[in-house]
Amino acid sequence: MFSTVKKISTMVIFLSVQACVGIQTVGPGPFDVQKTMQVTVGKEWTKYPFEPKTGLQGLTIDGVSLNSLTFGVNIKDGKALIYSSDPKTLVPRFRSDMTDSEAVEYIKDSLIYSGMKNVSLANLRPETFGIATGVRFDIAADTERGLNMSGTGKTVIHNGVLQLILYIAPTEYYYDLHIEEVNEILKSATLL
Amino acid sequence: MRTRFSYLFSALALFGLAACETTDVDPIKASERPEETSDEAGLWLQMDGAERLLKASAIVERDPALNDYVRGVTCQVIGEDYCNDVRVYVVKQPYFNANMAPNGQMQIWTGLLLRAENEAQLAFVIGHEFAHYKQRHSLQQWREIKNAANASLVFSAGIIAAGVPDAAVLGDITLAARLYGFGRGKEREADQLGFQFATDAGYDGHEAAAIWKYLVSEVENSDLERNRRQIARSSIFSTHPVTSERIETLTAFAEDGEAGTVRQREYIATTSPFLAKWLEADLVRRDFGENIFLINHLIKRGEGLGLLFYRRGEAHRIRRGEGDAIRALADYRKASSFEDVPATVWRQIGDAERTKGDGAAAMAAYQTYLEKAPEAPDRQLVKSYLNKLDE
């Protein structure tokens, strides 16, 4: 029923275990994501270990359930943002011939698949992402338990692979708390 | 040797204790609540907590008209005496499912509402779920689990004592098979009683088997081999009767009964405002075979064709199989000839034409989209496409 809660709980446990070995802080200053993307962060963020199976790298300031800045790097054709041990599992998968609006749709569907409810996109607009033109977008959603969430992000398909940055936080208080910092981070994104 | 005798003695003692728990319970009466000190009260307490979470969650569909309708059908099927004992929640999940908790919480998933063809089919599902409640199946199941778990422990301990530790796993397999075996028995009873409740309420008995027949056909078209296999054969772990057996049984019940009402018009009128979002949610499952089969099935109704051809186009576009781009564009074009087509069809036609290299057709479609959807969330993006095409 509450699969998102389970996933978050599993993630929290995973991150707690990782705390002994892999959690570091980054910033203020430039931050390289897997030697593929670089952003400039204005505050100190906590960095969670890179997840090679999904290509996702997470940062947070107050904890992943309160603000989560996720980087997806070099997502190749056929890859899913949701990890499954069974490669035959039917999940939204990236296709290298997607249009930029389809790339945003792929991110949205991945959020829905992972348990977010009432996901809606707003304000899709072109925005430079390093040397390429990507798409900037805003998101509204609810967790399964009913917490209103807001988000913003940008994505680009360049040389057949997808890069993305997605910020999500509870709408009440936490989204606004760091949105100016996040907007600056998004503006600063370059591809290496 | 003495150790083995000790295990055997303990095993027999445990088995004796396990055998004390009776699973023979009377059907619950209207307005009845379990005694506070009973194991049943404990089950209800657990489910009351889960229901509070469900009520506050974002997975419940709160549309008043839809909820009133489903509640009305429920009361029609279960009767006024029990109407206040059962609380129905329409749950936003794209799968074909419904379930019943021991405390009277019933869930009807939107994937089921999407696939039911008429009110009678929904009524049979409600009748089936209510039978679980009335017969206190959860309480029986709970006691059977406790008894079977104790027996399995005895089985495992005995094997370990005999020096074959790996074989202890067999105890768990036996336990699982036994528990789910009880489940199948209760499902059969729920089918029988559910059929009776729905037909007593005036619904046509032939619709009970019809919804299962449809489901078999849809799953046979699944992209996932595992799903296709599940429908084709039973397993000892299956909680429900083999689908073919269920269809045969329900068909036989209908042959002995009188014809009743189906109420398709009322059902379609109530559910059609939700078709767009339910079909969109179904496609997120990415089972294109099932999704396209379902849409083709709905197309046969001859209503809502603009939406349905658009959704089929979406499935083809996202699937990206051989020839799917052409199929998608053909579906979008067909959809655009109906009044009920969503404005986004024009954006998709624009994208498809732009990918094909037909700039003029793409521009025309994008312009139509912006005219029809002036507040579209991707307005700026589409304008940027138009600017590029105009260069």
Side-chain angles (χ1 to χ4, degrees):
Chain A
M1 178 58 60
F2 294 104
S3 58
T4 299
V5 175
K6 284 181 196 160
K7 278 169 195 161
I8 289 170
S9 306
T10 309
M11 188 186 289
V12 168
I13 291 165
F14 171 74
L15 292 175
S16 305
V17 172
Q18 292 287 317
C20 305
V21 290
I23 292 184
Q24 300 168 342
T25 57
V26 297
F31 169 53
D32 287 2
V33 188
Q34 297 298 301
K35 297 177 182 167
T36 299
M37 189 192 304
Q38 186 180 74
V39 294
T40 303
V41 298
K43 295 179 180 175
E44 185 179 87
W45 290 72
T46 300
K47 181 185 85 163
Y48 291 104
F50 177 69
E51 177 44 70
K53 285 169 182 160
T54 53
L56 299 179
Q57 167 79 72
L59 297 183
T60 183
I61 291 179
D62 303 298
V64 285
S65 55
L66 299 180
N67 35 54
S68 154
L69 183 63
T70 304
F71 299 86
V73 292
N74 291 339
I75 311 290
K76 294 184 177 63
D77 190 88
K79 293 290 284 183
L81 297 176
I82 299 139
Y83 173 69
S84 167
S85 56
D86 181 357
K88 288 181 183 168
T89 302
L90 303 177
V91 290
R93 293 186 186 279
F94 171 66
R95 296 298 169 200
S96 57
D97 63 349
M98 281 176 167
T99 63
D100 44 12
S101 58
E102 284 182 314
V104 179
E105 176 189 49
Y106 159 68
I107 295 164
K108 176 190 168 188
D109 285 356
S110 299
L111 286 171
I112 296 170
Y113 196 97
S114 69
M116 297 294 278
K117 293 290 168 191
N118 307 323
V119 181
S120 63
L121 294 168
N123 206 12
L124 280 77
R125 67 269 194 199
E127 189 170 294
T128 38
F129 198 136
I131 53 170
T133 302
V135 185
R136 181 77 190 270
F137 55 92
D138 300 326
I139 279 185
D142 298 322
T143 65
E144 281 186 349
R145 289 215 176 190
L147 183 64
N148 300 139
M149 306 292 280
S150 294
T152 190
K154 72 195 288 186
T155 186
V156 67
I157 301 170
H158 185 59
N159 293 333
V161 295
L162 180 115
Q163 319 290 346
L164 79 93
I165 309 173
L166 180 63
Y167 173 69
I168 294 184
T171 306
E172 191 171 328
Y173 182 70
Y174 282 97
Y175 181 76
D176 288 341
L177 189 62
H178 302 298
I179 189 60
E180 285 181 22
E181 158 84 345
V182 169
N183 282 332
E184 290 303 313
I185 291 171
L186 290 169
K187 265 190 225 166
S188 72
T190 56
L191 300 175
L192 301 176
Chain B
M1 196 59 152
R2 279 181 67 186
T3 312
R4 285 187 191 181
F5 273 120
S6 304
Y7 271 115
L8 184 61
F9 181 78
S10 306
L12 288 171
L14 269 171
F15 198 79
L17 284 173
C20 292
E21 195 82 62
T22 179
T23 58
D24 191 14
V25 295
D26 291 330
I28 197 163
K29 296 185 184 76
S31 307
E32 184 182 350
R33 288 192 67 86
E35 286 180 32
E36 280 184 18
T37 54
S38 65
D39 56 350
E40 188 175 23
L43 279 180
W44 278 50
L45 192 67
Q46 291 288 322
M47 293 318 302
D48 286 347
E51 189 173 346
R52 280 194 294 275
L53 287 177
L54 179 68
K55 261 186 191 172
S57 78
I59 66 171
V60 172
E61 173 60 67
R62 301 186 192 279
D63 180 82
L66 182 65
N67 278 283
D68 286 351
Y69 177 75
V70 175
R71 171 116 202 112
V73 177
T74 304
C75 290
Q76 176 82 13
V77 172
I78 72 178
E80 288 303 319
D81 289 349
Y82 284 93
C83 190
N84 290 328
D85 296 345
V86 174
R87 298 162 305 286
V88 190
Y89 298 89
V90 175
V91 172
K92 294 182 216 172
Q93 290 287 342
Y95 302 92
F96 181 96
N97 201 9
N99 58 58
M100 184 83 222
N103 67 339
Q105 173 210 143
M106 184 189 289
Q107 293 183 15
I108 305 287
W109 289 15
T110 50
L112 188 151
L113 294 176
L114 175 61
R115 289 166 173 84
E117 290 174 49
N118 53 51
E119 190 175 301
Q121 292 186 0
L122 171 63
F124 283 103
V125 173
I126 289 169
H128 174 100
E129 297 305 328
F130 175 65
H132 285 311
Y133 171 76
K134 192 170 182 186
Q135 299 306 107
R136 289 181 151 130
H137 281 165
S138 296
L139 177 63
Q140 290 179 40
Q141 188 85 354
W142 166 245
R143 290 181 177 172
E144 285 156 7
I145 285 169
K146 281 202 296 182
N147 291 347
N150 287 342
S152 178
L153 182 65
V154 170
F155 183 79
S156 302
I159 287 176
I160 291 165
V164 196
D166 288 347
V169 176
L170 291 171
D172 294 331
I173 291 174
T174 312
L175 170 65
R178 185 174 164 193
L179 291 181
Y180 288 120
F182 284 129
R184 285 205 297 272
K186 290 184 186 61
E187 294 295 341
R188 287 192 185 99
E189 186 182 32
D191 273 348
Q192 186 181 356
L193 288 172
F195 183 89
Q196 191 184 318
F197 296 142
T199 49
D200 286 352
Y203 291 104
D204 191 331
H206 296 91
E207 296 303 316
I211 193 165
W212 289 106
K213 282 182 193 164
Y214 167 75
L215 193 66
V216 169
S217 306
E218 184 187 305
V219 175
E220 280 171 352
N221 284 273
S222 171
D223 290 342
L224 204 57
E225 193 192 346
R226 189 171 58 229
N227 288 359
R228 297 196 300 271
R229 275 204 315 267
Q230 271 175 356
I231 209 83
R233 65 178 188 195
S234 176
S235 124
I236 61 164
F237 299 109
S238 170
T239 56
H240 286 65
V242 183
T243 310
S244 57
E245 176 205 311
R246 166 173 259 162
I247 291 169
E248 280 172 25
T249 306
L250 292 171
T251 304
F253 288 160
E255 282 167 2
D256 296 338
E258 295 170 11
T261 58
V262 169
R263 291 176 63 85
Q264 186 173 35
R265 291 252 49 89
E266 293 82 351
Y267 187 81
I268 291 175
T270 308
T271 55
S272 59
F274 301 91
L275 270 191
K277 68 178 181 180
W278 290 348
L279 284 169
E280 186 180 356
D282 191 71
L283 188 55
V284 173
R285 298 192 302 122
R286 292 297 193 265
D287 193 329
F288 300 107
E290 286 191 4
N291 184 260
I292 291 170
F293 183 86
L294 169 61
I295 294 168
N296 285 337
H297 182 73
L298 293 171
I299 283 172
K300 286 179 195 161
R301 282 182 186 170
E303 293 181 34
L305 295 179
L307 170 70
L308 293 171
F309 284 118
Y310 168 70
R311 290 306 322 172
R312 196 172 71 180
E314 291 289 86
H316 286 134
R317 172 179 65 82
I318 295 173
R319 183 169 69 178
R320 283 174 154 69
E322 195 178 337
D324 274 346
I326 295 166
R327 286 188 199 99
L329 184 54
D331 280 335
Y332 294 142
R333 289 277 182 211
K334 194 163 188 176
S336 69
S337 66
F338 294 94
E339 294 233 333
D340 67 322
V341 70
T344 41
V345 79
W346 298 106
R347 209 268 316 279
Q348 301 300 17
I349 291 172
D351 282 355
E353 296 290 6
R354 186 164 60 112
T355 304
K356 265 174 57 188
D358 190 339
M363 283 182 78
Y366 285 143
Q367 278 158 350
T368 306
Y369 173 58
L370 294 180
E371 283 165 22
K372 289 182 180 290
E375 304 298 323
D378 55 354
R379 184 172 183 83
Q380 286 187 64
L381 200 60
V382 173
K383 275 186 170 178
S384 75
Y385 300 157
L386 280 168
N387 290 339
K388 269 189 199 165
L389 288 165
D390 202 27
E391 283 171 4

